[in-house]
Amino acid sequence: MSEMSFAELGLDAAVLEAVNAVGYETPSPIQAKSIPALLAGHHLLGVAQTGTGKTAAFALPLLSRIDASTAEPQILVLAPTRELAIQVAEAFTTYASKFRNFHVLPIYGGQDFGPQIRGLRRGAQVIVGTPGRMLDHLRKGTLKLDSLKALVLDEADEMLRMGFIDDVEAILAKTPDTCQRALFSATMPPQIKKVAQTYLKDATEVRIESETRTVERISQFVLPVYAERKLDALTRILEVEPFDASIIFVRTKAETTMLAEKLSARGHAVAPLSGDLNQRQREQTVEDLKRGKKDIIIATDVAARGLDVPRITHVINYDVPYDTEAYIHRVGRTGRAGRTGKAILLVTPRERSWLRTLERATNSPMESYQLPSPTDLQKMRVQQFETQLLAFAEDGKLPKAIALLDEIAERNDMDMAMVAGAMACWMEMAQPGALPLEAPEALPEISAAPRRDRKGPPPGKKNFRKGPGKGFKKDGKPGHRKGGPKGKPAGKGGKPPSKRPAR
Ligand code: ADP
Ligand code: MG
């Protein structure tokens, strides 16, 4: 990460305010390099892979240069797919949230022309779209580029791969000569180079290179996971990994507190660590981690810089880092003082290319992480429960407890198995985050791994509690536990409502 702050980059005040509201702590490397160049009006050629923060790298400076008093299209962004166009349009809307009378219009194929034409007539300062449909509008005359100030080609190599390069060039040819241009691409195939040479003469070039460094003593794992399953994956990892202390990296300050709340509700001793805390609070948090008052820290890259806590055994990259340097720094928070450490990286399908980049950069392979199956989890939970139970069987108070329970059983015509069962249910409820006795919910697909055979969740919900006693509920169904609906993050069901994060 760069040492620079967004405030130093010279962005428009309203844009800066929006960025602060989103919670970005510092500019990513490509942002730190691209923003000044684009603010200065230069063409820009940016080479960096997915997830490095390219959208803000062009959106923030270009929005800073806009003339908000007119509704004519001033920024045009070409993206390879409808999804990416929508994503970029949403990002622009966020970054322009402090502007008044401001409109961002996504335009893509597969949607009726009607709403798009009405949107264009109403006026939008930023148009984001796929090349084919954009060209249609230019030819129809429904989209005019006379006031265009900037054109961005986002994911240029993807557009080439999808066969849009001719459309892209046709659009480029129709933009005013005075128009500022930016081209972003993960790779630089010859055709893209040619486009750059023709249309982006004297462009400032920004490359986010991967550098090579060895990460010794740290075993690295990767878990492909759908974005909406990340929390499920994380809670399972934390349940099965025998960690002493763990640090979890996320991208935004807001996410450090959000995730900390969620894990805390699941019974973990966890604290956020971000630039939102003052120096003293940060030191206190690190101290708590060192002394074992906390076991998990949710951190941003900046806040965790230089963190040296020997008991950190695990680094979990919940969000992918911006560059290989950040990754190497992150995983270096474990394996301190000659110990070994484990690093686990969660990647969503669109971030999967990180895998090879990081392997190259660290010069060591990443193993694919195997999430425990529901059956494995169940076994572990039973074992843990048994261990804890046995520990109390030696307690000096045991005879008194037995006498009391005998009395209660007698009075209520229960047998001891029933009493014990009831107590187990009570304990489970009374300890938020305590491992449920119930077999884990047949979780929906967590892993987004395409290749290996995924073990499907077992059909239906099993309940291991049906054994423990004659007097136990006959249908074997848990009494108080509802169990989260399928598709909802695990852990939502069955927690005492008061312990849920208030949101
Ligand atoms: P790319 O286009 O390089 O694939 P995106 O622009 O889509 O990357 O950004 C990826 C993610 O990173 C988005 O969720 C975005 O909100 C987030 N992000 C971008 N810049 C920052 C920043 N400076 N700090 C924190 N998060 C950021
Ligand atoms: Mg992008």
Side-chain angles (χ1 to χ4, degrees), residues 175-501:
T175 55
D177 285 342
T178 52
C179 173
Q180 187 179 8
R181 291 171 183 146
L183 186 157
F184 289 90
S185 201
T187 57
M188 268 292 149
Q191 291 103 311
I192 299 296
K193 244 188 217 143
K194 219 182 103 223
V195 169
Q197 278 158 5
T198 315
Y199 294 97
L200 286 85
K201 289 210 178 68
D202 304 321
T204 304
E205 248 187 84
V206 174
R207 268 173 199 274
I208 301 304
E209 301 282 2
S210 345
E211 49 178 299
T212 305
R213 228 178 296 167
T214 323
V215 182
E216 288 151 8
R217 293 192 312 272
I218 298 167
S219 45
Q220 304 180 82
F221 293 85
V222 63
L223 175 65
V225 63
Y226 296 111
E228 63 276 17
R229 290 270 157 271
K230 276 186 174 182
L231 184 60
D232 284 348
L234 178 65
T235 38
R236 275 217 225 173
I237 291 170
L238 292 176
E239 183 171 347
V240 295
E241 284 295 328
F243 66 89
D244 192 358
S246 170
I247 181 160
I248 299 173
F249 282 98
V250 296
R251 288 210 154 173
T252 63
K253 291 184 273 187
E255 207 174 348
T256 59
T257 41
M258 249 153 52
L259 199 56
E261 278 174 28
K262 286 183 178 147
L263 293 184
S264 169
R266 285 161 173 73
H268 291 289
V270 53
L273 183 69
S274 79
D276 276 348
L277 306 178
N278 65 35
Q279 187 60 27
R280 215 191 49 75
Q281 292 169 315
R282 284 200 227 181
E283 280 164 15
Q284 185 59 52
T285 305
V286 174
E287 196 52 36
D288 286 350
L289 187 70
K290 277 188 182 151
R291 300 234 243 97
K293 277 171 88 181
K294 296 276 187 263
D295 295 327
I296 302 175
I297 294 288
I298 319 281
T300 56
D301 288 284
V302 178
R305 188 173 290 139
L307 190 74
D308 187 10
V309 178
R311 63 180 283 262
I312 295 177
T313 50
H314 284 65
V315 171
I316 300 173
N317 291 292
Y318 189 75
D319 293 331
V320 294
Y322 290 109
D323 53 10
T324 52
E325 201 182 323
Y327 176 82
I328 288 163
H329 179 269
R330 285 178 176 191
V331 301
R333 297 314 94 208
T334 182
R336 316 289 296 175
R339 302 175 198 212
T340 55
K342 189 165 181 179
I344 303 167
L345 172 74
L346 270 52
V347 287
T348 61
R350 67 181 282 263
E351 294 162 345
R352 206 174 276 145
S353 66
W354 272 103
L355 179 53
R356 280 205 42 234
T357 309
L358 294 178
E359 283 186 331
R360 243 182 288 129
T362 58
N363 217 349
S364 48
M366 286 214 196
E367 267 176 73
S368 74
Y369 187 82
Q370 298 299 312
L371 274 181
S373 68
T375 324
D376 294 342
L377 268 187
Q378 184 184 350
K379 267 195 208 131
M380 269 194 34
R381 289 173 182 180
V382 174
Q383 219 172 43
Q384 221 158 26
F385 183 63
E386 196 171 322
T387 310
Q388 283 166 355
L389 196 74
L390 290 179
F392 280 99
E394 322 244 291
D395 200 290
K397 290 186 207 135
L398 199 66
K400 267 193 187 162
I402 293 177
L404 178 63
L405 293 177
D406 261 338
E407 227 182 276
I408 293 174
E410 173 108 23
R411 197 159 47 235
N412 295 284
D413 194 23
M414 295 159 89
D415 64 13
M416 280 307 259
M418 206 169 162
V419 174
M423 287 197 65
C425 294
W426 177 18
M427 267 181 50
E428 181 189 10
M429 205 177 63
Q431 290 179 301
L435 304 181
L437 300 171
E438 182 185 344
E441 190 77 17
L443 281 168
E445 266 326 327
I446 281 187
S447 174
R451 21 199 160 94
R452 65 188 67 250
D453 289 336
R454 291 178 226 151
K455 276 185 213 147
K461 191 164 63 177
K462 298 217 182 78
N463 190 335
F464 96 102
R465 268 187 298 182
K466 62 178 158 232
K470 295 158 218 130
F472 210 65
K473 276 191 162 190
K474 278 202 200 79
D475 60 0
K477 286 218 180 86
H480 64 273
R481 176 172 289 269
K482 281 192 208 84
K486 280 196 182 144
K488 285 279 158 57
K492 274 212 168 160
K495 295 271 154 58
S498 61
K499 296 289 181 184
R500 279 191 197 152

Side-chain angles (χ1 to χ4, degrees), residues 10-141:
L11 294 167
D12 175 84
V15 173
L16 190 59
E17 200 186 326
V19 169
N20 287 333
V22 187
Y24 295 169
E25 198 162 36
T26 48
S28 71
I30 193 149
Q31 291 164 2
K33 289 183 177 163
S34 305
I35 291 172
L38 285 173
L39 280 175
H42 300 306
H43 291 326
L44 187 95
L45 188 61
V47 185
Q49 70 184 114
T50 304
T52 45
K54 292 190 286 293
T55 317
F58 60 80
L60 302 179
L62 296 181
L63 281 172
S64 295
R65 286 165 60 83
I66 217 158
D67 177 3
S69 66
T70 143
E72 300 278 310
Q74 293 173 56
I75 301 174
L76 191 67
V77 183
L78 296 183
T81 64
R82 164 202 151 114
E83 285 70 31
L84 284 168
I86 292 171
Q87 212 170 296
V88 170
E90 281 172 356
F92 262 101
T93 306
T94 308
Y95 302 144
S97 60
K98 307 293 171 188
F99 288 169
R100 313 179 99 242
N101 298 323
F102 195 82
H103 298 283
V104 180
L105 187 67
I107 278 185
Y108 41 81
Q111 192 192 38
D112 283 348
F113 276 93
Q116 297 181 353
I117 291 173
R118 281 196 294 280
L120 285 166
R121 230 179 262 145
R122 244 178 273 128
Q125 289 88 343
V126 179
I127 317 267
V128 187
T130 48
R133 182 55 67 98
M134 206 79 101
L135 200 55
D136 290 341
H137 281 286
L138 282 173
R139 291 195 171 131
K140 276 178 189 280

